[in-house]
Amino acid sequence: NTNWSFTVSGLTDVWTGASNTTWGVAANWDLGHSPIVSDNVRVPAAAPRYPSLDGPRTINGLIVETGASLNLNGYDLTINGDVTVAGALTATGTEVLWLKGQLTDFTGAALTPANSLMVFVGSGIQTGRLAGCTIWNLRVRNTSAPVTLTGGCTAREIRCDEGTNPVSVRFAAGATYTTRDFVMAGSTAVTNIMMRSTSSGARWNLRVTGYAAVSGADVQDSDAGFGKAIYPLYSKDSGNNPNWIFGAA
C-alpha cells in the first residue's frame, strides 16, 4: 500500500529517542510513526536522547517534561492545542512558535530564544503563563478573544499590530514585563487595542528600555515607571497609569 497512512488521529505520540535525535524518524516514537497534525506530543524525562526538528511541523498539543528538551533547530512549530513546557525549549535562529491553544504554560521552563518569534494567534480565549522567561519577540495576533499573559517576562520586543482589528491583552497584576521595544500599533480612529490588569485597580508593571510606539490603545492599571515614559497617540487613559503621557504633542 504505497502512500497509505494507517494512523489514528488524536493520539498521544511519546518520544522514545530509540534511534537518534531526528523528529521525523518513526523509530523514535512509541506509536511507530512521527507525529501527525492531530497528535499530541509528549517528550518525557530520562529519554536516551531528545528530539530536534527536521522541518516545519504542526501538532495538536505539546508536553515537554522537566528534564527533557526540544530543539526547534531552525524550523517553525505550530501547536493547535495546549502547551506545557517544564523542560528546555531551544531556538537556534528565527524560528516562529505559533500558539493557537487555550493554554501555554512555561512554568519551570528553560527557554533559549535566539532570534525567535512567539505568536499568540488563537481564535478563542488564550492564556500564556510566561513565568518570567526570556523571550526574543512576542506578538499577540488573536483578534477574536482576550489573551492573558501572566508571570511577567523579559523580551526584545512585545508587539501587536493587527491594524483596525480589535485586540485585548491582559497582564498579570504585580508582574513585570521588561522589553527593549514595546509596539502597540492600533487604529488612529478608534481605540481597538485594550490593555488591562488581571485584577482591576492593581497595576501591572512595564519596563521599556528602548523604543515605544503606542496608538489606538485603551490602557488601564499600567505602571510604566520602571522604564521609559510611554507617549501614546490616539489613545485612551482609563486610569492608574503612571509614566504614561497621554495627549502630549
Side-chain angles (χ1 to χ4, degrees), residues 2-240:
T2 303
N3 209 32
W4 288 71
S5 177
F6 293 95
T7 55
V8 180
S9 64
L11 299 179
T12 296
D13 209 354
V14 180
W15 171 265
T16 66
S19 179
N20 51 38
T21 62
T22 304
W23 178 282
V25 172
N28 286 321
W29 300 93
D30 75 337
L31 293 182
H33 64 82
S34 61
I36 59 176
V37 173
S38 58
D39 281 342
N40 299 302
V41 169
R42 181 166 67 89
V43 183
R49 52 189 69 84
Y50 292 106
S52 181
L53 295 188
D54 52 357
R57 298 287 179 174
T58 299
I59 56 176
N60 186 57
L62 174 66
I63 296 175
V64 179
E65 295 182 352
T66 302
S69 66
L70 171 61
N71 190 337
L72 300 180
N73 194 34
Y75 296 104
D76 297 353
L77 178 61
T78 301
I79 308 169
N80 293 322
D82 291 348
V83 177
T84 300
V85 177
L89 181 63
T90 300
T92 60
T94 58
E95 298 95 324
V96 181
L97 189 62
W98 299 97
L99 302 169
K100 297 184 177 183
Q102 183 177 8
L103 175 65
T104 297
D105 189 353
F106 292 123
T107 303
L111 302 186
T112 301
N115 299 315
S116 62
L117 171 61
M118 182 182 299
V119 187
F120 288 86
V121 68
S123 57
I125 293 172
Q126 291 185 278
T127 297
R129 295 175 183 166
L130 304 180
C133 287
T134 297
I135 298 164
W136 189 248
N137 293 335
L138 187 153
R139 185 170 298 178
V140 176
R141 295 191 59 186
N142 186 336
T143 60
S144 300
V147 175
T148 301
L149 303 174
T150 68
C153 68
T154 297
R156 172 189 175 272
E157 179 184 79
I158 297 175
R159 172 182 288 266
C160 174
D161 55 1
E162 297 305 297
T164 59
N165 294 313
V167 178
S168 176
V169 187
R170 300 173 73 237
F171 299 87
T176 299
Y177 301 81
T178 299
T179 180
R180 190 192 76 177
D181 301 334
F182 187 71
V183 180
M184 294 286 168
S187 172
T188 59
V190 294
T191 51
N192 64 306
I193 299 178
M194 180 175 288
M195 288 182 274
R196 290 291 187 269
S197 169
T198 54
S199 178
S200 181
R203 295 171 182 157
W204 55 278
N205 305 320
L206 177 62
R207 180 173 181 261
V208 177
T209 62
Y211 174 74
V214 178
S215 62
D218 180 344
V219 189
Q220 188 177 68
D221 297 325
S222 175
D223 186 351
F226 295 79
K228 291 187 174 182
I230 311 297
Y231 294 85
L233 303 175
Y234 312 105
S235 297
K236 178 181 178 181
D237 180 6
S238 286
N240 200 21

